[in-house]
Amino acid sequence: MKARNPMVWMILFFWMVAGFKAEAQKDSASIKLSFEQALQITRQNSHVLKEVGYLQEEKDQEAKAAKGLHSPKIGLSANYLLMSDDITMDLSPVKTALEPLYLAAIHNSGAYVGYPNLDPATQTVVPTLTDAQTRQFMGSALTTIDKQDWNQMIQKKQFGTVNATVQWPIFTGGKINAANKAAEIEQKDVADVLSQKEGELISELAERYFGLCLARQAVLVRKDVLDGLNQHLQDAIKIEEQGLIPNADVLHAKVYFAQAQREYSKAKRTADILNQALVNTLALQNDSTIIPVSNLFYLDAIEPKDHFIAMAKDRNPLLRQVESKKQLAEQGYKAEKSNYFPTVAAIGSYTLVDKNLSPYAPNWMAGVGLNWTLFDGTARSRKIKSAALKRQQVEEIEEKAQNDIETGINKLYEELNMYHEQLQELESALTSAKEYVRVREKAFHDEMSNSTEVVDARLALSQVRIERLQAMYGYDTTLSKLLQLSGNPDEFTIYQQRNDAKFENYNSEK
């Protein structure tokens, strides 16, 4: 067997490696997404929203089940019973009473001559009875009576039945109506839960999407700082070689260049972590790389604080859920009060199959039944008091929730103004920092400034840029939380697309 050419094996090896690499690149492909596209994917893939969707279907089925309480219940019942003894009836007193009558009739048979013949077989031939015929008839009847078993079986001790049953509630004191209203309230409550989860999801997406925007912009800033310090280090080495600056300036440049390398690595690591967090929110493959298309933004003016407070009172899903709990407590109170009333239902039964059932038993029966508990200690009154306390408890929860939401809106609105003020101040600071770097670099090359001043100027510029990006990120996430708390999280994209929106993209400043 001949050995194959080693070159063939090398070609096959590199081909396989290239294939694995291409497959890996395919699996970890970059995905460019705007915030609106990310929101659409999140809504489609979110496990939280799917869970609430199943909960909605569950409550829909429960509401249909509650409506079914108005309908009759039709079913089958099967019973097989064993009693201690057969049920019999002794009819011998009837025999004792009949025999004297027939004996008297035989004794006085002459009195019945000409009595109509009641036998259909001979009635046409012998329309009336003779004395002999009367005696014969009475004697035969007496014999028959004497031979009969006068201890009759009514029901054997073992018997079974299969019955079709029906029960239709007529009056329940309000229990069924309360159950239906409670089911409708729970349906509405789940819709509010869905609105709440969607709002939380939009806020989470804004935090992670624009967090990744901030992180990627920070990477660019740190990279520019690193490149600038590297260039400055190279310039410092050249100038030192010319004997124009001391070695201390070069060492200073090296120290801050190493620090810039660490900050750049840290920024890249932070971007990777936030990318993974965003992938988790989008419910995509873990090796996906998201490239945000939408930029950080802010607005110079938005609606007054009272506008958001008024919207929250009408649309906040948490307040709606508290209102649903309040209505459920009211229905629970009515349901407990209904226990003081009787329950009336139409009932019926039809025997389908039986074994050893008495022939005297009826095949079917129908009627109206009533069940009324007149005394049960103090259970009902205590439950009614408990339901009344539940109502008061929910009222307190509602008042606290309203105060908490109003307080939250005040806090977020002030934070939004704070970030806006920071952005205004940092805008002028950015201009000054850029000019300061230009002046210091020019002075350094003109041998009028040392390396420390140049490094400090570059770091100051990068700090202003990072702080401006962080302020804008804080503005965006705070705005999303404010809209969520006011019950209008979907309007975040509307604010983002407003004509007066101002965007921040470090690439445009290079």
Side-chain angles (χ1 to χ4, degrees):
M1 184 175 179
K2 295 182 178 180
R4 294 191 178 184
N5 191 337
M7 184 61 67
V8 175
W9 288 108
M10 292 180 64
I11 294 174
L12 289 174
F13 173 79
F14 284 115
W15 178 79
M16 292 175 63
V17 170
F20 291 143
K21 183 177 180 181
E23 188 66 24
Q25 290 176 347
K26 179 180 178 181
D27 293 339
S28 58
S30 299
I31 305 174
K32 293 184 178 180
L33 290 177
S34 66
F35 182 81
E36 293 81 2
Q37 292 172 329
L39 179 57
Q40 183 179 0
I41 293 174
T42 302
R43 281 177 167 160
Q44 181 179 355
N45 296 344
S46 171
H47 299 295
V48 174
L49 297 185
K50 290 179 181 179
E51 176 188 353
V52 179
Y54 288 126
L55 180 60
Q56 180 71 68
E57 293 181 9
E58 175 188 342
K59 295 303 178 182
D60 291 344
Q61 295 302 320
E62 289 181 359
K64 293 178 181 178
K67 291 180 180 179
L69 296 175
H70 289 290
S71 304
K73 294 181 179 179
I74 301 174
L76 292 174
S77 66
N79 301 283
Y80 193 83
L81 303 177
L82 173 64
M83 299 184 295
S84 59
D85 299 296
D86 295 334
I87 299 176
T88 60
M89 180 177 290
D90 185 7
L91 298 177
S92 56
V94 178
K95 173 185 177 183
T96 304
L98 289 176
E99 285 179 341
L101 295 176
Y102 278 90
L103 290 172
I106 293 172
H107 181 71
N108 299 317
S109 60
Y112 298 100
V113 174
Y115 190 80
N117 184 6
L118 300 179
D119 184 5
T122 60
Q123 188 178 36
T124 55
V125 179
V126 184
T128 58
L129 299 177
T130 63
D131 179 67
Q133 290 172 332
T134 300
R135 288 177 180 274
Q136 181 183 0
F137 176 78
M138 292 299 178
S140 175
L142 186 61
T143 301
T144 301
I145 291 172
D146 187 61
K147 291 180 179 180
Q148 291 296 320
D149 182 8
W150 292 92
N151 189 15
Q152 290 292 316
M153 173 69 70
I154 302 301
Q155 177 62 64
K156 292 184 178 181
K157 64 180 181 180
Q158 293 186 15
F159 69 96
T161 59
V162 177
N163 299 322
T165 61
V166 60
Q167 183 176 355
W168 197 343
I170 299 174
F171 177 76
T172 61
K175 291 186 182 70
I176 294 179
N177 290 335
N180 275 269
K181 290 181 180 178
E184 292 175 0
I185 293 169
E186 289 183 347
Q187 277 184 299
K188 180 179 175 295
D189 184 62
V190 174
D192 294 329
V193 171
L194 180 61
S195 298
Q196 176 192 347
K197 296 300 181 182
E198 285 183 341
E200 293 174 354
L201 203 61
I202 292 174
S203 293
E204 178 185 300
L205 179 63
E207 180 179 348
R208 295 184 175 182
Y209 183 91
F210 290 107
L212 183 57
C213 287
L214 169 62
R216 291 177 67 89
Q217 295 284 294
V219 169
L220 296 177
V221 173
R222 297 298 183 188
K223 183 65 167 61
D224 280 356
V225 172
L226 179 63
D227 292 343
L229 290 178
N230 181 47
Q231 183 62 47
H232 173 69
L233 175 60
Q234 301 304 319
D235 292 342
I237 293 173
K238 291 178 181 178
I239 296 176
E240 183 202 13
E241 291 175 350
Q242 297 173 4
L244 300 177
I245 61 174
N247 180 255
D249 286 349
V250 176
L251 294 176
H252 183 271
K254 287 183 178 179
V255 169
Y256 280 94
F257 174 73
Q259 179 181 342
Q261 285 182 315
R262 293 194 300 272
E263 293 293 337
Y264 177 60
S265 299
K266 179 181 176 181
K268 290 197 297 181
R269 180 68 65 181
T270 301
D272 291 339
I273 294 172
L274 291 174
N275 178 81
Q276 188 61 38
L278 180 57
V279 167
N280 183 45
T281 299
L282 297 172
L284 298 176
Q285 293 181 358
N286 291 333
D287 56 355
S288 300
T289 300
I290 307 300
I291 301 177
V293 176
S294 301
N295 295 319
L296 296 163
F297 73 97
Y298 73 98
L299 299 163
D300 285 329
I302 60 172
E303 293 79 5
K305 178 172 57 180
D306 293 340
H307 168 76
F308 297 99
I309 294 176
M311 284 198 304
K313 291 180 179 179
D314 182 52
R315 302 181 184 181
N316 184 278
L318 287 174
L319 290 181
R320 290 189 196 176
Q321 290 176 62
V322 173
E323 178 62 26
S324 297
K325 298 295 186 292
K326 186 177 179 181
Q327 295 175 5
L328 284 173
E330 180 65 27
Q331 295 305 318
Y333 180 78
K334 291 181 179 180
E336 294 298 339
K337 286 185 66 176
S338 68
N339 289 325
Y340 277 106
F341 297 96
T343 299
V344 182
I347 57 175
S349 175
Y350 183 83
T351 302
L352 299 175
V353 180
D354 70 86
K355 180 176 178 58
N356 297 331
L357 182 65
S358 172
Y360 303 106
N363 290 330
W364 62 271
M365 65 175 184
V368 177
L370 181 144
N371 184 18
W372 195 353
T373 302
L374 299 178
F375 179 75
D376 65 347
T378 59
R380 286 178 294 186
S381 61
R382 296 296 182 184
K383 288 182 179 180
I384 289 175
K385 289 181 180 179
S386 175
L389 292 172
K390 183 68 174 180
R391 290 192 303 179
Q392 295 176 0
Q393 178 185 356
V394 175
E395 288 174 358
E396 295 297 329
I397 293 174
E398 181 181 31
E399 185 173 351
K400 184 178 185 304
Q402 290 176 347
N403 293 334
D404 288 346
I405 288 174
E406 185 171 349
T407 301
I409 289 177
N410 286 326
K411 175 178 177 294
L412 292 172
Y413 197 84
E414 294 303 321
E415 288 180 359
L416 207 63
N417 289 332
M418 177 191 69
Y419 286 121
H420 181 263
E421 291 173 358
Q422 289 181 5
L423 287 167
Q424 298 298 317
E425 294 169 357
L426 288 168
E427 187 172 357
S428 59
L430 181 61
T431 302
S432 300
K434 289 179 179 179
E435 179 62 19
Y436 185 57
V437 170
R438 188 190 68 80
V439 171
R440 285 303 179 191
E441 286 183 342
K442 184 177 184 302
F444 178 75
H445 288 89
D446 293 341
E447 303 178 15
M448 298 176 62
S449 175
N450 57 31
S451 173
T452 302
E453 292 174 337
V454 175
V455 170
D456 290 344
R458 284 190 172 276
L459 293 178
L461 175 59
S462 66
Q463 184 64 29
V464 171
R465 282 172 169 165
I466 294 295
E467 287 181 2
R468 182 170 170 80
L469 291 170
Q470 289 174 338
M472 197 167 292
Y473 167 74
Y475 184 96
D476 293 341
T477 56
T478 303
L479 177 61
S480 69
K481 293 176 182 177
L482 177 64
L483 293 173
Q484 175 196 345
L485 205 56
S486 63
N488 295 276
D490 287 331
E491 290 189 4
F492 182 78
T493 55
I494 297 177
Y495 281 83
Q496 184 188 16
Q497 296 170 0
R498 277 173 45 167
N499 293 330
D500 57 341
K502 296 182 178 181
F503 298 94
E504 187 81 7
N505 188 351
Y506 181 67
N507 286 328
S508 64
E509 297 182 2
K510 293 183 66 176

